[in-house]
Amino acid sequence: MNMPRATIRTKSMAAVALILTLLFAGSGAAEEAKKIKAYWSQRNRRADIRYLTKNGTDYISLKSLADFLGAEYSAKLKTGKCVLTTSDRIITFTQYSPYVIAGDKSYNLVHDVVSHGGEFYSPSKSTIELLGRFLNLEFDLDVMKSTLSVYPTNYNVLDLVSQAKINGLLIEIFLSKMLKYEISKTIDSWLIITIHEGKLNPDHFTGGRRSREVLETKAYQFDNSAQLSIRLSAREFNVVDRYKDDPPRIQLSIKANEFSDTILAYSESNLSAETPAPADSLIDVIVIDPGHGGDDEGAVGRSGLLEKDVVLDISKRLAARLRESGFEVVMTRDDDRFVSLADRANIANEAGADLFISIHCNAAENKSARGSIVFFLADAKTDQARAAAALENEVFKFETTANVPNKSDIGFILSDMIQTEHLKESAELAQLIHENLRNVRNLERRGIDQAGFIVLNKAFVPSVLVETAFITNKKDEELLRSDKFREAFAEEIARAVATFKAEFDAR
């Protein structure tokens, strides 16, 4: 039956799970790889795709899948990285992590990527869903024949995904290419998106409640356009939209009083009479993120000084200064351990952060480069910022405790949306920190800048990334070794935060 879709059909997903379970039933926690026939008639390709079952989860061989799709496959077991490249699309998998980078977007495969027999295996169901959406293909399994078929979809409006964020709702409409669109609202809580030259399968988008925030969706195909109608649970809401590439998609950021993250929800039942309700307008909770940790050492100085050790020490000093000033401080790590992206996001979300400050050391091939830089999170505007973003966001890094290269990393938490709402506040905080750092002896300042770093998922708060100094520069490395320098650096950031709070709370 030919029902093209961007992602594998629901019954096909169930069929994949069923047939793989039957194939490997009774095999125990781990099984030798088995094979299933794959066909792609349009490209005249056929192959055997390797599968295995581990701890009750079905996995697919990324190597055999890449060979079948004609994608380039690059894998390094030592670093735990696997990259699939097809056309201009790059998808990066990381061993022991469920997170994948596809284009400029991250995806959660639910189960970790694993290795077996010298190859990487990825959760079959979610991997096929991802490839279908990202490559604009449909994967279809014939249960009776145990075959996996691949063919291109005829649609250019591929999928709709909604995600609750800490301050609202994010809806994404995935496309095969950039299409013009219009947005309107109705008085009865419907959000209408008209996509010119759009082609979609109405059966895929029409249905009942998708989430607590999305009550119902409807889809219509017209001669020269497609329409998606989304009924929200909120009566009053505001929408900010933008188009994003890689993969092509329309992003709708929706704010409403009804959309609040349950992690931060307070009610009379869980607040004692002595405990005042939290004042959302105040700056009270500071999340400090010391970069790297554990097997991820970060950048390494000429004399062997490790970035992970320096930034942890400075972060602890900063936390102490802030606590002395009455702030509640939460650290994403307070010892030498690796913290996954998901855990860093959970830490910040559960804390209800008012500010997010990430501490790192800079690194460069040019050993004469030195000084501090304070970044706030926005699109890169200068060569310096673009170079820093290219370095720090080069790959999806270190979601494993496997051996990792010695390279500086600021890409620490995944997100789809740059924090447009808090750009002004982030820039103000960055400016205050930069000004205060003039009081740190022997430290050169390279200014403040903005760059599109990967940022905190689901935590949209004023955020800055502080590059303390260049650990690859001899003079800066000497500073970074100094207790006096570390204390002074932490003290000046703490003073900047106090000033920011005073100015912000007075508004």
Side-chain angles (χ1 to χ4, degrees), residues 159-228:
D159 204 0
L160 183 152
V161 176
S162 61
Q163 294 176 299
K165 296 290 183 179
I166 204 167
N167 69 336
L169 177 69
L170 173 65
I171 293 179
E172 293 188 300
I173 301 169
F174 289 85
L175 311 172
S176 65
K177 61 180 180 179
M178 183 175 182
L179 297 170
K180 293 182 179 180
Y181 63 93
E182 297 173 359
I183 297 174
S184 61
K185 299 190 296 184
T186 70
I187 59 174
D188 52 351
S189 301
W190 283 92
L191 178 63
I192 312 298
I193 304 96
T194 300
I195 304 171
H196 299 286
E197 304 299 329
K199 296 181 181 180
L200 55 73
N201 178 4
D203 292 337
H204 175 52
F205 294 93
T206 299
R209 180 186 288 270
R210 286 175 174 249
S211 66
R212 180 173 64 90
E213 298 81 10
V214 177
L215 299 181
E216 185 181 3
T217 59
K218 294 182 179 180
Y220 305 92
Q221 181 64 63
F222 303 112
D223 289 342
N224 298 311
S225 66
Q227 179 179 297
L228 290 174

Side-chain angles (χ1 to χ4, degrees), residues 279-456:
D280 291 338
S281 62
L282 302 180
I283 302 297
D284 296 314
V285 181
I286 315 298
V287 171
I288 302 174
D289 177 66
H292 313 283
D295 286 349
D296 174 11
E297 297 177 342
V300 180
R302 292 183 175 186
S303 66
L305 185 64
L306 301 181
E307 178 183 2
K308 68 171 184 176
D309 297 333
V310 174
V311 298
L312 178 59
D313 184 64
I314 292 175
S315 295
K316 286 182 175 180
R317 296 171 190 262
L318 173 59
R321 300 288 81 74
L322 290 173
R323 289 179 179 127
E324 289 173 359
S325 299
F327 291 98
E328 178 183 347
V329 178
V330 177
M331 295 181 65
T332 59
R333 68 178 182 97
D334 56 8
D335 56 19
D336 183 19
R337 60 191 171 90
F338 176 81
V339 181
S340 71
L341 300 183
D343 286 342
R344 290 178 190 246
N346 288 337
I347 290 168
N349 287 345
E350 291 170 6
D354 297 312
L355 296 178
F356 183 89
I357 302 173
S358 186
I359 306 296
H360 290 261
C361 298
N362 217 335
E365 293 184 6
N366 178 6
K367 304 306 180 184
S368 65
R370 62 176 309 203
S372 67
I373 311 174
V374 186
F375 288 98
F376 63 97
L377 303 168
D379 292 323
K381 298 296 184 183
T382 67
D383 289 341
Q384 171 181 260
R386 280 187 284 271
L391 172 66
E392 309 299 359
N393 297 338
E394 182 182 5
V395 294
F396 181 69
K397 292 184 177 69
F398 310 134
E399 272 300 278
T400 173
T401 54
N403 293 330
V404 294
N406 296 324
K407 199 168 188 179
S408 182
D409 166 49
I410 297 184
F412 46 90
I413 302 293
L414 295 179
S415 179
D416 324 311
M417 300 276 288
I418 289 174
Q419 303 177 19
T420 53
E421 181 182 2
H422 295 292
L423 289 184
K424 180 176 181 292
E425 290 85 356
S426 297
E428 291 174 354
L429 177 58
Q431 181 65 42
L432 287 171
I433 294 174
H434 169 66
E435 291 175 355
N436 280 15
L437 289 179
R438 66 161 53 103
N439 299 319
V440 179
R441 292 189 60 183
N442 299 320
L443 176 67
E444 293 188 9
R445 295 179 305 147
R446 298 172 68 95
I448 62 174
D449 213 332
Q450 60 187 83
F453 296 109
I454 300 172
V455 296
L456 195 67

